[in-house]
Amino acid sequence: MTIWHAGTPDLAAMTRTGATSMPGFLGIEFVEAGDDWIRARMPVNERTKQPYGRLHGGASVALAETVASVAAAMTVDPAVSAAVGMEINANHIRPAGDGFVYATARAEARGRTSQVWSIRIEDEDGRLVCVARMTAAVIPTGRGGVVAG
């Protein structure tokens, strides 16, 4: 049974939504979705590396928050509620130096006022690069500048 409010997520539309903001600048694109998970990828390149040639931890956190925030938003009725990031933490496990990293977000808890998401970031060989957890607040649409869209 799917957790998505409006059925199967439109991956291309989710990618377009972030095209003119940080997700677009970092090259994040949504690539897959299942009944209870969403996956996005991000290139490991000059925009996402730290000066020593490895994936920047902040870029990993931006990827994790992007995929979890979008996933959380896809589970609520946008005419009534919005899901916004409230807290995120991450453990960086191994470096990535090139190619793409893939972030998969899965809900751990989806309540009336908050959600908790686990995010695994892996390299192209499926090796764990980062594990993160994000809490989203579910707020009424219109609060905090959030509008139905």
Side-chain angles (χ1 to χ4, degrees):
M1 181 168 178
T2 187
I3 65 172
W4 313 121
H5 174 73
T8 304
D10 182 339
L11 302 171
M14 291 187 302
T15 299
R16 281 192 307 274
T17 298
T20 61
S21 56
M22 183 181 285
F25 177 77
L26 296 177
I28 295 172
E29 59 184 329
F30 289 86
V31 295
E32 258 183 293
D35 286 341
D36 65 350
W37 57 272
I38 289 181
R39 181 171 296 131
R41 73 179 189 169
M42 180 178 71
V44 180
N45 61 21
E46 68 283 350
R47 290 185 179 174
T48 60
K49 287 181 182 180
Q50 35 98 315
Y52 305 107
R54 295 179 176 185
L55 178 62
H56 193 290
S60 291
V61 173
L63 173 60
E65 181 145 359
T66 297
V67 72
S69 291
V70 169
M74 299 296 292
T75 68
V76 299
D77 179 351
V80 176
S81 301
V84 296
M86 188 164 61
E87 189 273 341
I88 189 163
N89 66 65
N91 293 100
H92 306 291
I93 309 299
R94 75 166 20 93
D98 57 18
F100 285 90
V101 288
Y102 293 81
T104 304
R106 290 182 190 276
E108 297 292 341
R110 292 184 307 112
R112 186 177 51 79
T113 59
S114 67
Q115 299 182 6
V116 177
W117 290 80
S118 291
I119 308 97
R120 289 180 58 90
I121 300 176
E122 300 173 336
D123 65 16
E124 291 177 310
D125 294 324
R127 295 177 298 194
L128 186 62
V129 171
C130 178
V131 63
R133 184 180 65 222
M134 190 199 82
T135 303
V138 179
I139 62 173
T141 300
R143 182 174 159 208
V146 178
V147 295

